[in-house]
Amino acid sequence: MSAQLPVSRIAALRQALTGQADARFVWLCNFEVERDWAQGHAGIPGQSLAPGNPVVQRLQEHGFLLAEPGDVVITSHPADEDFLRYLDRAGLPIAAQLVIPDPNRLGPAPSILQSELALTALQALAGDKVYLAPMGVSAGIEAVAAATGLPVAGPPASTCLRVNSKTYSRDLASRLGLREIPGMNCATVSDLERAILGGACGPYPLIVKDAYGVSGKGLLVVRDAASARSLHAMVTRRAAKTGSDVLHMLVERFLDKQCDLTYQVTIGRNGSVSFDFVKRAMIHNGVPKGHVIPAELNPRQYGDIMEAGMKLGAALHADGYFGVAGMDALIDTQGVVLPVVEINARLNLSTYQERALQRFLQPGGLAVGRQIKVPTSDAPLPFSRLLDALGSAGCLPHDGDGLLVTGFGTVNAPSAAGGYEGRLYTLFFSKDRARLDSLQAQAECALTKLQVPVAALL
């Protein structure tokens, strides 16, 4: 029997999205949504978005971390049954699974719309208080809703598209009088020229960003005038070729910093705003790799983040947005909070940790959510074999101490070079920093020695 859960934070999310705390969700974790939003927006030349990849597909399994009994989680690949039983043993009762194959990696929405079987299965789920709950709302999600009769638990796609733009984030921060990174939005080629060659954004180095850049993609560090002239020439040539000088870009001064932060608010349909959390982000080459909980802020820094979150939430609702909004922020070398690097109009990996954190993080406790590299193999790895390899390092959290595997499917995502990618998503818990570091080191050491015996594959 599963352990008793405290009052669910997910019920609060259901209430915010639908007005009904007892709504049932069909979770669709469309991690590709930012790529959908980016289509048709002129950014940095030569940085076109790559097609969907197997790792992103397998991230859909994260839906089980939020879904509760009575819900359904859509995946492109069946989740390992031992992993699902593991989540249930951990006190995170699991939902039903609906597998809708996506062999061409079109993304979940297109794969659903092209499958009569998928549409029929979803139509059968439609009913009172049943909603389609995506990671983010795109035009494709709205098409799925229209075709299945499942209303979307979220704002219109057009609103999400507007809010998720980094240029919108800068405009909103300015409107609210929040402390900003020095820089400017660039809507035309002449704007970009002024920003990177005319001194409008200050001295080099500068960071040029696509308004709809995704997870470390769509940004370029301009270190000197020569690289600025090169970028300007490429953008000018494209404008001449297309007949349009419209851009969706921004330029910011390169700032040294102490750390990156991510924080979240949930905005109700009725305009209520709850401040959910702030975490320290682990960023490598612009790509998020994990989170440290708590963020270890001083009272002034925490107050600045909370005040910014509440102001942003109210303003977002006034602009027609509701649901989860995740904000990236940073602390500069002087310890000053810059609370709006960007706003994400969607769920994020931090959101998916929330039910597990509520279950295992004790008052005064510490946690780290992160990826761990698993050796690439020539055959799929069973979850039971992973647990065997972890041994004592893989014990479920008890009394605020231990490891929870939050995402296993990515371990068996095929790589372009052959074999399997080997990326494991985890949450480590402890009451002591040294012990937390030790738990991570033990797990990493165990996994570096992991081998998949032939017998495990039969």
Side-chain angles (χ1 to χ4, degrees), residues 55-242:
V55 172
V56 173
Q57 261 193 346
R58 303 298 178 109
L59 284 171
Q60 295 166 1
E61 186 180 90
H62 275 68
F64 289 105
L65 297 176
L66 291 184
E68 298 173 314
D71 292 343
V72 175
V73 178
I74 296 174
T75 61
S76 298
H77 299 272
D80 186 294
E81 289 295 329
D82 284 333
F83 175 61
L84 296 182
R85 284 190 284 267
Y86 164 88
L87 292 179
D88 190 57
R89 290 198 309 274
L92 301 173
I94 60 170
Q97 179 175 200
L98 176 59
V99 180
I100 299 176
D102 182 14
N104 298 318
R105 300 204 298 273
L106 302 174
S111 64
I112 290 168
L113 293 169
Q114 293 183 15
S115 168
E116 287 298 327
L117 286 175
L119 290 172
T120 299
L122 290 173
Q123 288 163 358
L125 294 173
D128 186 42
K129 296 185 178 181
V130 181
Y131 293 79
L132 183 64
M135 182 178 183
V137 185
S138 64
I141 291 296
E142 291 183 330
V144 170
T148 61
L150 289 166
V152 177
S158 58
T159 300
C160 296
L161 176 67
R162 183 174 78 255
V163 167
N164 208 72
S165 168
K166 294 178 178 65
T167 58
Y168 173 90
S169 299
R170 282 195 65 86
D171 286 341
L172 184 56
S174 178
R175 191 193 335 157
L176 296 176
L178 299 174
R179 194 179 296 112
E180 298 179 75
I181 299 172
M184 63 178 283
N185 289 336
C186 299
T188 64
V189 174
S190 60
D191 286 345
L192 182 66
E193 180 180 13
R194 188 157 55 91
I196 64 174
L197 288 170
C201 293
Y204 303 112
L206 300 170
I207 301 180
V208 181
K209 298 180 179 180
D210 289 349
Y212 288 95
V214 180
S215 295
K217 307 292 185 182
L219 62 83
L220 180 70
V221 178
V222 176
R223 301 190 181 280
D224 49 38
S227 56
R229 286 193 294 270
S230 176
L231 174 61
H232 180 257
M234 287 191 291
V235 171
T236 301
R237 286 194 297 270
R238 182 179 62 189
K241 182 178 180 180
T242 62

Side-chain angles (χ1 to χ4, degrees), residues 257-277:
K257 59 190 175 183
Q258 289 184 9
C259 69
D260 296 280
L261 302 173
T262 183
Y263 62 105
Q264 178 178 295
V265 298
T266 300
I267 305 153
R269 284 177 173 266
N270 62 359
S272 62
V273 180
S274 69
F275 185 88
D276 299 334
F277 58 74

Side-chain angles (χ1 to χ4, degrees), residues 21 43 108 129 145 153 157 189 205 248 293 319 361 367 373-374 386 421 454:
K129 296 185 178 181
V189 174
H248 302 90
I293 306 132
D319 284 352
L361 185 63
K373 179 69 176 175
V374 176
L386 178 85
E421 289 280 357
V454 174

Side-chain angles (χ1 to χ4, degrees), residues 389-440:
L390 285 169
S392 61
C395 291
L396 282 169
H398 175 71
D399 193 25
D401 189 275
L403 163 65
L404 177 73
V405 174
T406 55
F408 173 71
T410 47
V411 168
N412 290 323
S415 98
Y420 294 85
E421 289 280 357
R423 185 190 301 180
L424 186 71
Y425 285 82
T426 61
L427 269 172
F428 291 89
F429 297 86
S430 185
K431 298 176 182 177
D432 175 79
R433 176 66 59 189
R435 169 64 177 164
L436 190 64
D437 292 342
S438 175
L439 285 171
Q440 295 175 71

